[in-house]
Amino acid sequence: MTDWTALIRDIPDFPQPGILFKDITPLLADHAAFTQVVDDLAAGLTFDKVVGIEARGFILAAPVAYQSGAGFVPIRKKGKLPAETLAASYALEYGSATIEVHADAFDAGDRVLIVDDVLATGGTAEAAVELVRRAGAHVVAASFLMELSFLSGRDRLSGLDVRALVAV
Ligand SMILES: O=P(O)(O)OC[C@H]1O[C@H](OP(=O)(O)OP(=O)(O)O)[C@H](O)[C@@H]1O
Ligand SMILES: Nc1ncnc2[nH]cnc12
């Protein structure tokens, strides 16, 4: 597996003091890297829909869905989705948030791949898994570009196939 760390920048004290922010924009701007990452996020997995988590998750999840012939389902921050929603709240490395999915986003038994850029504390992904399950679908795996191992987010996703292309 390619080591992508040279294309992920460390930005100290963003968005608040003490946070070392992992900036994936250099990787996204590199066509060869971006396309390889999109391929690798779905490698070996079978699924009907890809869930992307606003906002950075959308950048990776939508091309994964397109490339895989799967549907795309957005999980958005509270108040952005227009139809009936299911909601889940969680704590972040910097703050807290509520995310939502459309209640009718999935067909019964859909196999779902969750895609996001970063797995940090795991709060976002845990909430996303909860929403997919409450909406009647089955999570086959959660794929991340980068895992911040020291925050142990994986521990909140026990029993799930959790993949990360880069772990730091
Ligand atoms: O594992 P966690 O501790 O939950 O953190 C990971 C989440 O944090 C970031 O999103 P953020 O909420 O900053 O939103 P953004 O994508 O809109 O920048 C990142 O894109 C993940 O979704
Ligand atoms: N340190 C970090 N860098 C980038 N995205 C994040 N999401 C949560 N923590 C993050």
Side-chain angles (χ1 to χ4, degrees):
M1 192 78 79
T2 312
D3 178 4
W4 300 116
T5 48
L7 289 171
I8 299 173
R9 286 191 294 203
D10 284 351
I11 309 288
D13 300 321
F14 183 90
Q16 61 193 43
I19 300 294
L20 185 63
F21 192 85
K22 299 291 181 179
D23 176 24
I24 66 165
T25 59
L27 186 150
L28 298 173
D30 181 319
H31 179 260
F34 189 14
T35 53
Q36 186 65 54
V37 160
V38 167
D39 288 348
D40 289 350
L41 284 167
L45 295 167
T46 303
F47 46 87
D48 306 297
K49 294 206 169 75
V50 180
V51 160
I53 306 171
E54 184 177 3
R56 281 174 274 150
F58 289 175
I59 299 167
L60 298 172
V64 169
Y66 178 87
Q67 195 264 3
S68 308
F72 173 76
V73 172
I75 284 187
R76 298 208 61 180
K77 305 278 166 59
K78 184 177 168 59
K80 298 289 187 180
L81 288 171
E84 185 192 345
T85 56
L86 303 172
S89 298
Y90 58 99
L92 269 172
E93 203 186 353
Y94 37 80
S96 63
T98 299
I99 53 174
E100 297 180 332
V101 71
H102 273 145
D104 64 355
F106 304 103
D107 296 317
D110 264 352
R111 296 164 298 178
V112 173
L113 171 63
I114 294 174
V115 171
D116 206 353
D117 64 332
V118 173
L119 175 64
T121 67
T124 307
E126 183 181 35
V129 169
E130 178 196 325
L131 288 180
V132 172
R133 289 178 177 158
R134 279 167 53 201
H138 171 67
V139 181
V140 296
S143 277
F144 303 89
L145 169 53
M146 168 165 273
E147 173 180 8
L148 307 184
S149 306
F150 60 96
L151 291 172
S152 305
R154 193 176 274 271
D155 294 351
R156 296 171 71 165
L157 305 174
S158 59
L160 205 65
D161 181 354
V162 178
R163 299 167 177 213
L165 305 186
V166 180
V168 294

